Amino acid sequence: MLLIINEFLSKEELHYMQQQAKQALWEDGTKSAFGVAKNVKNNSQASLDSNNGLQLSNFLLSKMGNHPQFVSAVLPHRIFPPRVNRYEKDQQYGFHVDAAIMSIPGTQEVLRSDVSITVFLNEPQEYDGGELTIEGAFGTQQVKLKAGDAVVYPSASLHSVSTVTRGYRLAAISWIQSMIPDSNIREQLYHLDQSIQNLHQSDNHKSELNRLSNVYHNLIRHFAQL
Amino acid sequence: MLLIINEFLSKEELHYMQQQAKQALWEDGTKSAFGVAKNVKNNSQASLDSNNGLQLSNFLLSKMGNHPQFVSAVLPHRIFPPRVNRYEKDQQYGFHVDAAIMSIPGTQEVLRSDVSITVFLNEPQEYDGGELTIEGAFGTQQVKLKAGDAVVYPSASLHSVSTVTRGYRLAAISWIQSMIPDSNIREQLYHLDQSIQNLHQSDNHKSELNRLSNVYHNLIRHFAQL
Amino acid sequence: MLLIINEFLSKEELHYMQQQAKQALWEDGTKSAFGVAKNVKNNSQASLDSNNGLQLSNFLLSKMGNHPQFVSAVLPHRIFPPRVNRYEKDQQYGFHVDAAIMSIPGTQEVLRSDVSITVFLNEPQEYDGGELTIEGAFGTQQVKLKAGDAVVYPSASLHSVSTVTRGYRLAAISWIQSMIPDSNIREQLYHLDQSIQNLHQSDNHKSELNRLSNVYHNLIRHFAQL
Amino acid sequence: MLLIINEFLSKEELHYMQQQAKQALWEDGTKSAFGVAKNVKNNSQASLDSNNGLQLSNFLLSKMGNHPQFVSAVLPHRIFPPRVNRYEKDQQYGFHVDAAIMSIPGTQEVLRSDVSITVFLNEPQEYDGGELTIEGAFGTQQVKLKAGDAVVYPSASLHSVSTVTRGYRLAAISWIQSMIPDSNIREQLYHLDQSIQNLHQSDNHKSELNRLSNVYHNLIRHFAQL
Amino acid sequence: MLLIINEFLSKEELHYMQQQAKQALWEDGTKSAFGVAKNVKNNSQASLDSNNGLQLSNFLLSKMGNHPQFVSAVLPHRIFPPRVNRYEKDQQYGFHVDAAIMSIPGTQEVLRSDVSITVFLNEPQEYDGGELTIEGAFGTQQVKLKAGDAVVYPSASLHSVSTVTRGYRLAAISWIQSMIPDSNIREQLYHLDQSIQNLHQSDNHKSELNRLSNVYHNLIRHFAQL
Amino acid sequence: MLLIINEFLSKEELHYMQQQAKQALWEDGTKSAFGVAKNVKNNSQASLDSNNGLQLSNFLLSKMGNHPQFVSAVLPHRIFPPRVNRYEKDQQYGFHVDAAIMSIPGTQEVLRSDVSITVFLNEPQEYDGGELTIEGAFGTQQVKLKAGDAVVYPSASLHSVSTVTRGYRLAAISWIQSMIPDSNIREQLYHLDQSIQNLHQSDNHKSELNRLSNVYHNLIRHFAQL
């Protein structure tokens, strides 16, 4: 599922992140690329060794854990520490599939990348190029969103960031291991949960909502791998 | 899931079956028992070689395929030709688990028994004893229903028919292979379908009903083994 | 996976089908719609009771079983008899998900619809509107192909045919139960098979090709449900 | 599986727990309820911030890890810190399904609730009402056990504690994530293990016992999710 | 699992098959090879168009369905019509993996080859070479058995028949789709069934045997794909 | 899969381990045997309480995590701290299946033993007997390797170390939980990875290698349980 979340960040949150990013220490983006991806990556990223880089990462980590629609769609189990990256003019990230297994820096743990997220941190008018291009089950999709918007997509898809030809592009990225490994089941659970939320707001069919809610929890129980 | 369906048969259908049963040819019930079950079975059954026995069987077969609640709960893929059986005074069927794989008589096909059904064909006041006793995940349950009612239960459970001590007991039984092998998933699908039906009757949340209906079909598609 | 197969039909095959279609008997398309889909379907279809309709169906059935790329991508187990349908001006088919389980007409068998196919039978210039719109994991995709081209897509996706506003639209459709129920596995097997074919043509790494071919067969064996 | 374990606690262990409970600090039970359950819960629980509450919890944790029949039936992987709770006159816990995913307090870890346990800590004569009512696959079951007895049941079932109408009810509860997510497989493994234990005691078929023990370990290996 | 069944055929059955084989019509063995295997196969086989060839095939088909150890180990669902084949001096069958999916001749059905069987029909002293060599999970195994013995092995393994250097080699082969697709589960079920049989013969632990038998049937029910 | 890795240890690494082993503290090997295995184990092992024993263990742990062929074949997720053990004259380890679940010493964690490894630490000429005998899917295999070589085999197989009749046998052992629980899938992934490596070295079919590499990562993603 390719899901676009408008205003993932509020104006204030976006402003805070932009300020932190300005003061961050920038390092070569290939430091966090695995395998084949290393050869096609060409950008810079906020170092986690700098205070600001770490705060950006932790801020987004906590945001992801608390955003209802994101949680409903992704059912996150483990989240890779988010990184802010920056593509200057003539930089790009060629087509690649994200590595399936990633070591979480500074821990002994590994994570299976089920879902990728990109949060756009400056406005599309500020740069030319820099589209996130995703080749998925349903043909090619080009994504370039407003500052504060986010896109969530399968890590299994082939994707790229096309060359920036004017200005610079600022965005944050992360990878998530879902509690529900099967993407089809995860998508049906998302729809079931959203239906329950929507019926809840406008409705007094309480016993049916309880029943649907039990179905939802029992399906989560059936499929969750922790 | 142990599901009791009241008035599975209408008064007219019940009457028709009782009349046919009176004229049926009766044979030893062990003719259709497999393995260990043979030793503990003691009853008689309407022969499928007689016209009336065959008509009883086909009538119930068609009934099962068209009863909405039964279909929703069982999602039948293959149905063993139903048999009418009769326990006289002092007859019984000891505890047994139904064989997992059954040859369908008169064909080359086999069936996996996921679900069993018993349809009661005479009134509980007409006999003493004859309870269907099911030892399941949730302790022991005793079932003795009105004529025309039916009980649906997992073939995997240990069950028995206790000794008839007065009168006789008339009932029909069958085994069903479900499209959905996993009983937990089947149960959640049943609740989802029933919720959709109930919301449908009282409601105008059309887009949510479409969404829930798509979730239902896509879960069926994910799990159905045909 | 949404897969477009250019020139699925050769010029001769296309011509043959167009001629047969001209002489076919046309009936109301809702005759073959299930459940909710009935309300949103508005077209006509070639009756299978007519000679020409039946020949069209059998011709496509055989074509699907023998087209290497289609077989590699779909790994068909059961195919619903294809139907040719026709949308006149102002006709359309609203958004729907195909029913998960379909009875195969004239048989006792059922089929699980994993994959849908649409074969376009007249040229896109001959009509306005009539786009096949597929809402999938990757946003909305609009498909309108040359005569003889085909598109293969998941039956689980929400899709529609938009209103024809000029001319008429002629196409054939069918649904397929794959030997490989899981769509992600099926997609990886398709890529593996295509890689083997491509390496085969240009290469003499015979032992590696044998090894990859064994992996392919053993994965098919692991996942095929027959 | 609903399993009743008589004398889960010895007389001494029971006495110890009753003494600790007397000195515990009691807090509002809704502090540990999730989602919908919060609205229907009305009791008090021993605070884990008090020494006695923590000792009660740790004592039961260790007990669960070492009780052979409990381990055989549940095959625990993660155990939620047990809580002692207390229902005064007019208190109850309405029907609810336990949340599928629970955060383990004071850690970063989560747990999938597969199995629930209730250990009864005072005698049934000391209160009226307070039955644990479980609506499961096999109809409704009411459970009210002697002090020291325990009941183990699926967290997926709908259950409630009915209103206490005289005296008070003291019990401990916990939730367990099993190594074997599928409840049917877990039940078959339990029976296989119990058979091996029983044959072991009375028997000298050593080579068959070795063979059955290998089957047991290899099935555990096949299904355990750690 | 590689399983050798000594005296799969009785002396009489062996004699009967040898006599029929003498009168059979022989055809080129590549007629029944699929894909890559065609290039490495060099033998002849009894034609199913001849009376004797067909009788040989049907005789073995029925034998396989009724041999208790074979049924217990393989749990056959569909059996490819067995063929008798013959390797003359200098003939062989190079290393290959059997095709995963096979069309059953003369029907519309297909079969997934889970298990292969070779029944040896003449004595090992009558020829040099002709070993069945199986490269499996556990290294390479060479099999050359007495007339009437059989070997059962996974179709997924790489195997060959080495060149006959003196005399001729007569054997029958077939492929079987098991009710239990997963080979590890199938192997554990085989051991469980064999243990039950062995305990049965020497024992009076009736209640444990019933329990183990229920476990066996419920595991079959859980995994059988029909 | 039974996989022999020649020169798993380099000459220097082997020499280092032999030196450390000489100075290690030796304890009774039954200290680390579980259940039935305890009765048939008769050897000594380097204590992890001694400096040298611990260094041996950590050295091998790190070796296993970095050996490309081992990683490709096993895809390790958790590794039990390796132990060096020593069989003197007349010592042996009878047939046993390794316990499915093992507690990792000094931690709260458990591990599922999918794969076992034995690294031979002295030369086969230095002792008689001491063969590692593995009864697997493909009959019995006897393994006795050069110093520095290793054998990797399923923990589910029945295996033994036969009695040493001259000299002593020095080896290290460990158990590994794989990211890929299913051994058949793990074996196919191993072959796919090895093919990619081999094609990589001799080839310029870059786009096909990228495609195969994506298939590999997406299959890992589909099956990895972390």
Side-chain angles (χ1 to χ4, degrees):
Chain A
M1 191 165 47
L2 184 153
L3 180 72
I4 288 172
I5 305 181
N6 293 319
E7 298 177 44
F8 178 75
L9 298 176
S10 70
K11 289 276 175 256
E12 293 70 31
E13 291 166 338
L14 174 63
H15 184 71
Y16 167 77
M17 290 198 69
Q18 288 169 334
Q19 291 312 106
Q20 291 288 332
K22 272 186 193 150
Q23 298 158 42
L25 191 69
W26 295 90
E27 64 185 16
D28 183 352
T30 56
K31 278 188 71 168
S32 68
F34 301 79
V36 189
K38 229 182 180 72
N39 307 324
V40 294
K41 189 177 188 179
N42 178 15
N43 66 7
S44 57
Q45 64 193 10
S47 167
L48 292 186
D49 298 336
S50 74
N51 242 359
N52 305 90
L54 194 59
Q55 278 175 27
L56 279 169
S57 186
N58 288 340
F59 180 81
L60 268 177
L61 201 58
S62 141
K63 181 78 197 171
M64 281 191 247
N66 291 298
H67 189 286
Q69 192 188 2
F70 175 82
V71 168
S72 171
V74 177
L75 292 164
H77 179 38
R78 297 190 180 99
I79 303 181
F80 193 90
R83 304 299 293 265
V84 173
N85 58 36
R86 195 180 149 114
Y87 292 81
E88 304 291 339
K89 186 164 180 303
D90 296 333
Q91 290 192 312
Q92 73 294 116
Y93 198 161
F95 272 106
H96 63 284
V97 167
D98 294 322
I101 310 294
M102 299 175 168
S103 300
I104 302 181
T107 76
Q108 300 269 34
E109 290 200 49
V110 290
L111 156 159
R112 184 189 62 232
S113 60
D114 295 320
V115 174
S116 304
I117 183 173
T118 295
V119 186
F120 290 81
L121 294 177
N122 64 343
E123 297 292 349
Q125 308 86 294
E126 300 180 36
Y127 57 102
D128 290 339
E131 291 85 3
L132 174 63
T133 306
I134 305 171
E135 277 192 15
F138 273 69
T140 297
Q141 208 80 3
Q142 288 214 335
V143 183
K144 189 171 174 177
L145 302 175
K146 286 195 204 158
D149 292 355
V151 59
V152 173
Y153 54 99
S155 306
S157 62
L158 206 61
H159 52 274
S160 69
V161 176
S162 58
T163 308
V164 170
T165 57
R166 179 185 60 88
Y168 71 94
R169 172 195 194 267
L170 195 70
I173 50 157
S174 182
W175 299 270
I176 302 101
Q177 174 174 332
S178 174
M179 295 195 293
I180 308 294
D182 187 294
S183 61
N184 181 27
I185 296 293
R186 204 189 308 133
E187 186 169 340
Q188 305 309 320
L189 285 170
Y190 172 65
H191 287 300
L192 182 51
D193 185 41
Q194 296 294 303
S195 264
I196 293 171
Q197 303 305 327
N198 291 346
L199 289 168
H200 197 65
Q201 284 164 10
S202 57
D203 206 50
N204 49 14
H205 298 291
K206 216 176 140 195
S207 73
E208 289 311 324
L209 280 174
N210 274 348
R211 193 191 321 217
L212 289 172
S213 172
N214 291 343
V215 168
Y216 178 74
H217 274 277
N218 284 340
L219 288 174
I220 293 264
R221 186 175 272 120
H222 192 94
F223 293 108
Q225 279 184 14
L226 303 181
Chain B
M1 191 165 48
L2 183 153
L3 179 73
I4 288 171
I5 305 181
N6 293 319
E7 298 178 44
F8 178 76
L9 297 177
S10 69
K11 289 275 174 259
E12 293 70 30
E13 291 166 338
L14 175 62
H15 184 72
Y16 168 76
M17 291 199 67
Q18 289 170 334
Q19 292 310 107
Q20 292 287 331
K22 271 188 193 148
Q23 298 158 41
L25 190 69
W26 295 89
E27 65 187 15
D28 183 352
T30 56
K31 278 187 72 168
S32 69
F34 301 80
V36 190
K38 230 181 179 72
N39 307 323
V40 294
K41 189 176 188 181
N42 177 15
N43 66 7
S44 57
Q45 63 192 10
S47 168
L48 293 186
D49 298 337
S50 73
N51 242 1
N52 305 89
L54 193 59
Q55 277 174 27
L56 279 169
S57 186
N58 288 340
F59 181 79
L60 267 178
L61 201 60
S62 143
K63 180 79 196 172
M64 282 191 247
N66 291 300
H67 189 286
Q69 192 186 2
F70 176 82
V71 168
S72 172
V74 176
L75 292 163
H77 180 36
R78 297 190 180 99
I79 304 181
F80 194 91
R83 304 298 293 265
V84 174
N85 58 35
R86 194 181 150 113
Y87 293 81
E88 305 290 340
K89 187 163 181 304
D90 297 332
Q91 289 190 314
Q92 75 295 115
Y93 198 161
F95 271 106
H96 63 285
V97 166
D98 294 322
I101 310 295
M102 299 176 168
S103 300
I104 302 182
T107 74
Q108 299 270 32
E109 289 201 51
V110 290
L111 156 158
R112 185 189 62 232
S113 60
D114 295 320
V115 175
S116 304
I117 184 173
T118 296
V119 187
F120 290 80
L121 294 177
N122 63 344
E123 297 291 350
Q125 306 87 291
E126 300 180 35
Y127 55 102
D128 289 339
E131 290 85 3
L132 174 62
T133 305
I134 305 170
E135 278 193 14
F138 272 69
T140 296
Q141 207 81 3
Q142 289 215 335
V143 184
K144 189 171 175 177
L145 303 175
K146 285 195 205 160
D149 292 355
V151 58
V152 173
Y153 53 99
S155 305
S157 62
L158 206 61
H159 52 274
S160 69
V161 175
S162 57
T163 308
V164 170
T165 57
R166 179 185 61 86
Y168 71 94
R169 172 194 193 267
L170 195 70
I173 51 158
S174 182
W175 299 271
I176 303 102
Q177 175 174 332
S178 175
M179 296 195 292
I180 308 294
D182 187 293
S183 61
N184 181 29
I185 296 293
R186 204 189 308 135
E187 186 170 340
Q188 305 309 320
L189 285 170
Y190 172 64
H191 287 299
L192 182 51
D193 185 42
Q194 296 295 303
S195 264
I196 293 170
Q197 303 305 327
N198 291 344
L199 289 168
H200 197 65
Q201 284 164 7
S202 57
D203 207 50
N204 48 15
H205 297 292
K206 216 176 139 194
S207 74
E208 289 311 324
L209 280 174
N210 274 349
R211 187 176 350 201
L212 289 172
S213 172
N214 291 343
V215 168
Y216 178 74
H217 275 277
N218 284 340
L219 288 174
I220 293 264
R221 186 176 273 120
H222 192 93
F223 294 108
Q225 279 184 13
L226 302 182
Chain C
M1 190 164 50
L2 182 152
L3 179 73
I4 289 171
I5 305 180
N6 293 318
E7 299 179 42
F8 179 77
L9 298 176
S10 70
K11 289 275 174 259
E12 294 71 31
E13 291 166 339
L14 175 63
H15 183 71
Y16 167 77
M17 290 198 68
Q18 289 169 335
Q19 291 311 105
Q20 292 287 332
K22 273 190 191 144
Q23 299 159 42
L25 190 70
W26 294 90
E27 65 187 14
D28 183 353
T30 55
K31 277 189 71 168
S32 68
F34 300 79
V36 190
K38 230 182 179 72
N39 308 324
V40 294
K41 190 176 187 182
N42 178 15
N43 67 6
S44 57
Q45 63 193 10
S47 167
L48 293 186
D49 297 337
S50 73
N51 242 0
N52 303 90
L54 193 60
Q55 276 174 28
L56 279 168
S57 186
N58 287 340
F59 181 78
L60 268 178
L61 201 59
S62 142
K63 180 78 195 172
M64 281 191 247
N66 291 299
H67 189 286
Q69 192 187 2
F70 176 81
V71 168
S72 172
V74 177
L75 293 164
H77 180 36
R78 296 190 180 97
I79 303 182
F80 193 90
R83 304 299 292 265
V84 173
N85 59 35
R86 195 181 150 112
Y87 293 81
E88 305 290 341
K89 186 163 182 305
D90 297 331
Q91 289 191 314
Q92 74 293 115
Y93 197 161
F95 272 106
H96 63 284
V97 167
D98 294 323
I101 309 295
M102 299 175 168
S103 300
I104 303 182
T107 74
Q108 299 270 31
E109 289 201 51
V110 290
L111 156 158
R112 185 188 63 231
S113 61
D114 294 320
V115 174
S116 303
I117 184 173
T118 296
V119 187
F120 290 81
L121 294 177
N122 65 342
E123 297 292 349
Q125 307 88 290
E126 301 180 35
Y127 56 102
D128 289 338
E131 290 85 3
L132 174 63
T133 305
I134 306 171
E135 277 192 15
F138 273 69
T140 296
Q141 208 80 4
Q142 289 214 335
V143 183
K144 188 170 176 178
L145 303 175
K146 285 195 205 158
D149 291 356
V151 58
V152 173
Y153 54 100
S155 305
S157 62
L158 207 61
H159 53 273
S160 70
V161 175
S162 58
T163 307
V164 170
T165 56
R166 179 184 60 87
Y168 71 93
R169 173 195 193 268
L170 195 68
I173 50 159
S174 182
W175 299 270
I176 303 102
Q177 174 174 332
S178 175
M179 295 195 293
I180 307 294
D182 187 294
S183 61
N184 181 28
I185 296 293
R186 205 189 307 133
E187 186 169 341
Q188 305 309 320
L189 286 170
Y190 172 64
H191 286 299
L192 182 51
D193 185 41
Q194 296 294 303
S195 265
I196 293 171
Q197 303 304 329
N198 291 345
L199 288 168
H200 197 66
Q201 284 163 9
S202 58
D203 207 47
N204 48 15
H205 297 291
K206 215 177 139 191
S207 72
E208 290 311 324
L209 281 174
N210 274 348
R211 190 185 333 210
L212 289 172
S213 171
N214 291 343
V215 168
Y216 178 74
H217 275 277
N218 284 339
L219 288 173
I220 293 264
R221 186 176 272 119
H222 192 94
F223 293 108
Q225 279 183 14
L226 302 182
Chain D
M1 190 166 47
L2 183 151
L3 179 72
I4 288 172
I5 305 181
N6 293 319
E7 299 178 42
F8 178 75
L9 298 176
S10 70
K11 288 276 175 258
E12 294 70 33
E13 292 167 337
L14 174 62
H15 183 72
Y16 167 77
M17 290 198 68
Q18 288 169 335
Q19 291 312 106
Q20 292 287 333
K22 273 189 191 144
Q23 299 158 41
L25 190 70
W26 294 90
E27 65 186 15
D28 183 352
T30 56
K31 277 188 72 169
S32 68
F34 301 79
V36 190
K38 229 181 180 72
N39 307 324
V40 294
K41 190 176 186 181
N42 177 15
N43 67 6
S44 58
Q45 63 192 12
S47 167
L48 292 186
D49 297 337
S50 74
N51 243 359
N52 304 90
L54 194 58
Q55 278 175 28
L56 279 170
S57 186
N58 288 339
F59 180 80
L60 267 178
L61 202 58
S62 142
K63 181 78 196 171
M64 281 191 247
N66 292 298
H67 189 287
Q69 192 187 1
F70 175 82
V71 168
S72 172
V74 177
L75 293 163
H77 180 36
R78 297 191 179 98
I79 303 181
F80 194 90
R83 304 298 293 265
V84 172
N85 59 34
R86 195 182 149 113
Y87 293 81
E88 305 291 340
K89 187 165 181 303
D90 296 332
Q91 290 191 313
Q92 74 293 115
Y93 198 160
F95 271 107
H96 62 285
V97 166
D98 294 322
I101 310 294
M102 299 175 167
S103 300
I104 302 181
T107 75
Q108 299 270 32
E109 289 201 49
V110 290
L111 157 158
R112 184 189 62 231
S113 60
D114 295 320
V115 174
S116 304
I117 183 173
T118 296
V119 187
F120 290 81
L121 294 177
N122 64 343
E123 296 293 350
Q125 308 86 293
E126 300 181 36
Y127 56 102
D128 289 339
E131 291 85 2
L132 174 62
T133 305
I134 305 170
E135 277 192 15
F138 274 70
T140 297
Q141 208 80 2
Q142 289 215 336
V143 183
K144 188 170 175 177
L145 302 175
K146 285 194 204 160
D149 291 355
V151 58
V152 173
Y153 54 99
S155 306
S157 61
L158 206 61
H159 52 276
S160 70
V161 175
S162 58
T163 307
V164 169
T165 57
R166 179 185 61 86
Y168 71 95
R169 172 194 194 268
L170 195 68
I173 50 158
S174 182
W175 299 270
I176 302 101
Q177 175 174 333
S178 174
M179 295 195 293
I180 308 293
D182 187 294
S183 62
N184 181 28
I185 296 293
R186 204 189 309 133
E187 187 170 340
Q188 305 308 321
L189 285 171
Y190 172 65
H191 287 300
L192 182 52
D193 185 42
Q194 296 294 303
S195 264
I196 293 171
Q197 303 305 327
N198 291 346
L199 289 168
H200 197 66
Q201 283 163 10
S202 57
D203 207 50
N204 49 15
H205 298 291
K206 217 177 137 190
S207 72
E208 289 312 324
L209 280 173
N210 274 349
R211 188 181 340 205
L212 289 172
S213 171
N214 292 343
V215 168
Y216 178 74
H217 275 276
N218 284 339
L219 288 173
I220 293 264
R221 186 176 274 118
H222 192 94
F223 294 107
Q225 279 184 13
L226 303 181
Chain E
M1 189 165 49
L2 183 152
L3 179 73
I4 288 172
I5 305 181
N6 293 319
E7 298 178 42
F8 178 76
L9 299 177
S10 69
K11 289 276 174 258
E12 294 71 32
E13 292 166 339
L14 175 62
H15 184 72
Y16 168 76
M17 290 198 68
Q18 289 170 334
Q19 291 311 107
Q20 293 287 331
K22 272 188 192 145
Q23 298 159 41
L25 190 70
W26 294 90
E27 65 186 15
D28 183 353
T30 56
K31 279 189 69 168
S32 68
F34 301 80
V36 190
K38 229 182 179 71
N39 307 324
V40 294
K41 189 175 187 182
N42 178 15
N43 66 7
S44 58
Q45 63 192 9
S47 168
L48 293 186
D49 298 336
S50 73
N51 243 359
N52 305 90
L54 194 60
Q55 277 174 27
L56 280 169
S57 186
N58 288 339
F59 181 80
L60 268 177
L61 202 59
S62 142
K63 181 77 196 171
M64 281 191 249
N66 292 298
H67 189 286
Q69 192 187 2
F70 176 83
V71 168
S72 172
V74 176
L75 293 163
H77 179 36
R78 296 190 180 99
I79 304 181
F80 193 91
R83 305 298 293 264
V84 173
N85 59 34
R86 195 181 150 113
Y87 293 81
E88 305 290 340
K89 187 165 180 305
D90 297 332
Q91 289 190 314
Q92 74 293 116
Y93 197 162
F95 272 107
H96 63 284
V97 167
D98 294 323
I101 310 294
M102 299 175 167
S103 301
I104 303 182
T107 74
Q108 298 270 32
E109 290 201 49
V110 290
L111 156 159
R112 184 188 63 231
S113 60
D114 295 319
V115 174
S116 303
I117 185 173
T118 297
V119 186
F120 291 81
L121 294 177
N122 64 342
E123 296 292 348
Q125 306 87 290
E126 300 180 35
Y127 57 102
D128 289 339
E131 291 85 3
L132 174 63
T133 306
I134 305 171
E135 277 192 16
F138 273 70
T140 297
Q141 209 81 1
Q142 289 214 335
V143 184
K144 188 171 175 177
L145 303 175
K146 286 194 203 159
D149 292 355
V151 58
V152 173
Y153 55 98
S155 306
S157 61
L158 207 61
H159 53 274
S160 70
V161 176
S162 56
T163 308
V164 170
T165 57
R166 179 185 60 86
Y168 71 94
R169 173 194 193 266
L170 195 69
I173 50 158
S174 183
W175 298 270
I176 303 102
Q177 174 174 332
S178 174
M179 295 195 294
I180 308 294
D182 187 294
S183 62
N184 181 27
I185 296 293
R186 204 189 307 134
E187 186 169 341
Q188 305 309 321
L189 285 171
Y190 172 64
H191 287 299
L192 181 51
D193 184 42
Q194 296 295 302
S195 265
I196 293 170
Q197 303 305 327
N198 291 345
L199 289 168
H200 197 65
Q201 284 163 9
S202 57
D203 208 49
N204 48 14
H205 298 291
K206 217 177 140 192
S207 72
E208 290 311 323
L209 281 174
N210 275 349
R211 185 174 354 199
L212 289 172
S213 171
N214 291 343
V215 168
Y216 178 74
H217 275 277
N218 285 339
L219 288 174
I220 294 263
R221 186 176 273 118
H222 192 94
F223 294 107
Q225 278 183 13
L226 302 181
Chain F
M1 191 166 47
L2 184 154
L3 179 73
I4 288 171
I5 305 181
N6 293 320
E7 299 178 43
F8 178 76
L9 298 176
S10 70
K11 289 277 176 255
E12 295 69 33
E13 291 167 337
L14 175 62
H15 184 72
Y16 167 77
M17 290 199 68
Q18 289 170 335
Q19 292 311 107
Q20 292 288 331
K22 270 187 193 147
Q23 298 158 42
L25 190 69
W26 294 91
E27 64 185 17
D28 183 353
T30 56
K31 278 189 70 168
S32 67
F34 301 79
V36 189
K38 229 181 180 71
N39 307 324
V40 293
K41 189 176 188 181
N42 178 16
N43 67 5
S44 57
Q45 64 192 11
S47 167
L48 292 186
D49 297 337
S50 75
N51 243 358
N52 304 91
L54 194 59
Q55 278 174 28
L56 280 169
S57 186
N58 288 339
F59 181 79
L60 268 177
L61 202 58
S62 142
K63 181 78 196 171
M64 281 190 248
N66 292 298
H67 190 286
Q69 192 187 1
F70 176 82
V71 168
S72 173
V74 177
L75 293 164
H77 179 38
R78 297 190 179 99
I79 303 182
F80 194 89
R83 305 297 294 264
V84 173
N85 59 34
R86 197 181 149 113
Y87 293 81
E88 305 291 340
K89 186 164 181 304
D90 297 332
Q91 289 190 314
Q92 74 293 117
Y93 198 160
F95 272 107
H96 63 284
V97 167
D98 294 323
I101 310 294
M102 299 176 167
S103 300
I104 302 181
T107 75
Q108 300 270 33
E109 291 201 48
V110 291
L111 157 158
R112 184 190 62 232
S113 61
D114 295 320
V115 174
S116 304
I117 183 173
T118 295
V119 186
F120 290 81
L121 294 177
N122 65 342
E123 297 292 349
Q125 308 86 294
E126 300 180 36
Y127 57 102
D128 289 340
E131 291 85 3
L132 174 63
T133 306
I134 305 170
E135 277 193 14
F138 273 70
T140 297
Q141 207 80 3
Q142 288 215 335
V143 183
K144 189 171 175 178
L145 302 175
K146 286 195 204 159
D149 291 356
V151 59
V152 173
Y153 53 98
S155 306
S157 62
L158 206 60
H159 52 275
S160 69
V161 176
S162 58
T163 307
V164 170
T165 58
R166 180 185 59 86
Y168 71 95
R169 172 196 196 266
L170 195 69
I173 50 156
S174 181
W175 298 270
I176 302 102
Q177 175 175 333
S178 175
M179 295 194 292
I180 308 294
D182 187 294
S183 61
N184 180 29
I185 297 293
R186 205 189 308 135
E187 186 169 341
Q188 305 310 322
L189 285 170
Y190 172 65
H191 286 299
L192 182 51
D193 185 42
Q194 296 296 302
S195 265
I196 293 170
Q197 302 305 326
N198 292 345
L199 289 168
H200 197 66
Q201 284 164 10
S202 57
D203 207 50
N204 48 14
H205 299 291
K206 217 177 138 192
S207 72
E208 289 311 323
L209 280 173
N210 275 349
R211 188 179 344 203
L212 289 172
S213 172
N214 291 343
V215 168
Y216 178 74
H217 275 277
N218 285 339
L219 288 173
I220 293 264
R221 187 175 272 119
H222 193 94
F223 294 108
Q225 279 183 14
L226 302 181

